[in-house]
Amino acid sequence: MRIIALEEHCSTPAYIAEGMIKPVPSLAERSKRFGYQIFDELADIGPSRIKYMDASGIDVQVLSLVQPGSQNFDGAKALAISQDANDTMAEACRKYPGRFAGFATLPVSEPEVAVKELERCVNELGFKGALINGHQQGEFLDAKKFWPIFEAAEALDVPIYLHPTAPHPDAYKAYFDGYEELHRAGWGFMIDTSCHFLRIMFSGAFDAYPKLKFILGHLGEGLPFAMHRLDDHTRNAAKRKGLKKTALEYMRDNVWVTTSGNWYEPAFVCTMMAMGVDKILFAIDWPYEPNTAGMAFLNKLSISDGDREKIAHLNAEKLLKM
């Protein structure tokens, strides 16, 4: 069975030189538990990464620059970091044919420039879409100045992976000050990303670009669990805003989710019942999660072999044209 993993992160020397890789106590603890250094493995897009992939039976990783990516920068610096990351990932794809694909890093602070970089990555480098790390220094993508990126993604027929980053500064101050252990992957990432996506949904972006495709990680950042209640309590608000569909319909029509780092079968069952198996893609979140954990989860799921094939590779092949 072919295995394609969609949320697999990397760093580059230029990114590291900007001070973007910072020690986090929880990650040091996870490195010790996993038996490898997370930051070292982020920086390797070669033999070590391939070794860990082969040991677990992973055929393809779709690479992406680790959060916050180029979104901590503006102007020329944002473009330079983006192009460096994209060129580095493209070189890995050439060096290890068939083992890697790429999600473009975009200079989101400069939307028109971001459009050109997305077009370059898809048309010239063969990338499969873009991965955007949450808010742009406090600005959310529902702001229409960012919509040219959506327009380009729809025209190119590639998805946007909305990936978490640290919560909005105001949210951090209100909810996580003094509780830093909660503000990242444990809880804050999910809350910030789900709220961000709902802003995009209720802004009318999917009416403006009805074929726009979004991917959400970690079994949908909690939204499959809550989507019926969300729909029930927002139908009238959606009508007042002039939206053409309900929240439930946008979730089913425009959203795919991945398994990345959410190894809990009850949550998976909820997601599959809410979204349908054709909307679930396999991902691990390497190296923040070990490949062994993701593969053990996939192999032990109480689903049919046909559904397992869809999640492992068939859905990704269709969505990403692989």
Side-chain angles (χ1 to χ4, degrees):
M1 180 171 66
R2 190 185 189 202
I3 304 293
I4 301 174
L6 267 78
E7 191 190 312
E8 319 311 318
H9 303 301
C10 63
S11 61
T12 70
Y15 188 72
I16 294 169
E18 292 291 339
M20 301 309 298
I21 302 296
K22 300 177 181 178
V24 178
S26 62
L27 296 182
E29 295 163 0
R30 290 178 76 79
S31 292
K32 185 176 180 180
R33 175 151 55 97
F34 297 160
Y36 60 78
Q37 292 298 318
I38 288 173
F39 291 151
D40 290 346
E41 298 307 325
L42 271 176
D44 186 286
I45 318 179
S48 183
R49 185 176 293 252
I50 293 288
K51 178 189 72 174
Y52 281 107
M53 291 168 64
D54 288 345
S56 297
I58 294 168
D59 297 289
V60 184
Q61 282 190 349
V62 184
L63 302 170
S64 54
L65 182 64
V66 64
Q67 69 87 28
S70 61
Q71 290 169 246
N72 258 34
F73 305 98
D74 299 304
K77 176 65 74 172
L79 178 60
I81 292 293
S82 297
Q83 290 183 329
D84 173 75
N86 294 331
D87 291 342
T88 299
M89 290 187 286
E91 176 58 30
C93 294
R94 288 190 292 268
K95 188 173 182 179
Y96 300 94
R99 304 309 304 273
F100 297 130
F103 280 136
T105 302
L106 302 179
V108 176
S109 64
E110 318 298 324
E112 298 298 337
V113 179
V115 166
K116 292 180 180 178
E117 182 61 10
L118 178 58
E119 291 171 344
R120 181 181 82 93
C121 287
V122 173
N123 294 329
E124 298 179 24
L125 304 183
F127 280 18
K128 304 305 178 182
L131 184 141
I132 296 178
N133 290 293
H135 57 83
Q136 174 61 39
Q137 300 179 51
E139 289 188 276
F140 295 106
L141 298 179
D142 59 294
K144 289 191 176 181
K145 71 178 186 179
F146 297 118
W147 286 21
I149 299 172
F150 298 163
E151 182 179 14
E154 183 188 52
L156 292 164
D157 194 25
V158 296
I160 293 174
Y161 200 130
L162 187 63
H163 183 270
T165 193
H168 188 285
D170 292 343
Y172 179 89
K173 183 178 180 181
Y175 288 106
F176 301 112
D177 190 19
Y179 296 89
E180 289 78 7
E181 63 274 15
L182 297 177
H183 94 280
R184 291 173 62 87
W187 196 250
F189 279 4
M190 176 185 72
I191 297 300
D192 196 80
T193 308
S194 60
C195 290
H196 188 175
F197 176 77
L198 291 176
R199 289 178 66 109
I200 295 169
M201 177 192 290
F202 278 87
S203 73
F206 293 117
D207 290 343
Y209 311 107
K211 295 183 179 179
L212 179 62
K213 303 177 179 72
F214 262 69
I215 304 174
L216 299 174
H218 318 104
L219 292 178
E221 308 294 1
L223 288 174
F225 177 84
M227 58 194 272
H228 185 274
R229 180 173 170 81
L230 167 72
D231 185 72
D232 186 52
H233 284 262
T234 60
R235 279 179 175 258
N236 288 334
K239 289 180 181 178
R240 287 195 300 272
K241 282 181 168 287
L243 298 184
K244 296 178 180 179
K245 296 181 181 180
T246 67
L248 202 62
E249 289 170 327
Y250 290 123
M251 285 292 297
R252 290 175 174 167
D253 292 346
N254 298 92
V255 180
W256 283 252
V257 304
T258 75
T259 62
S260 56
N262 197 338
W263 317 132
Y264 190 48
E265 186 156 356
F268 171 85
V269 171
C270 170
T271 302
M272 187 168 69
M273 293 179 69
M275 299 290 295
V277 70
D278 292 338
K279 288 300 193 78
I280 302 176
L281 310 156
F282 184 64
I284 288 173
D285 207 347
W286 173 264
Y288 296 99
E289 300 285 344
N291 292 332
T292 50
M295 289 302 297
F297 176 78
L298 177 65
N299 290 327
K300 291 180 181 178
L301 284 173
S302 302
I303 57 177
S304 70
D305 289 343
D307 285 348
R308 203 181 322 274
E309 290 266 3
K310 287 183 176 183
I311 294 165
H313 68 99
L314 292 176
N315 292 341
E317 289 166 353
K318 182 178 181 180
L319 179 64
L320 305 183
K321 305 178 186 66
M322 297 177 68

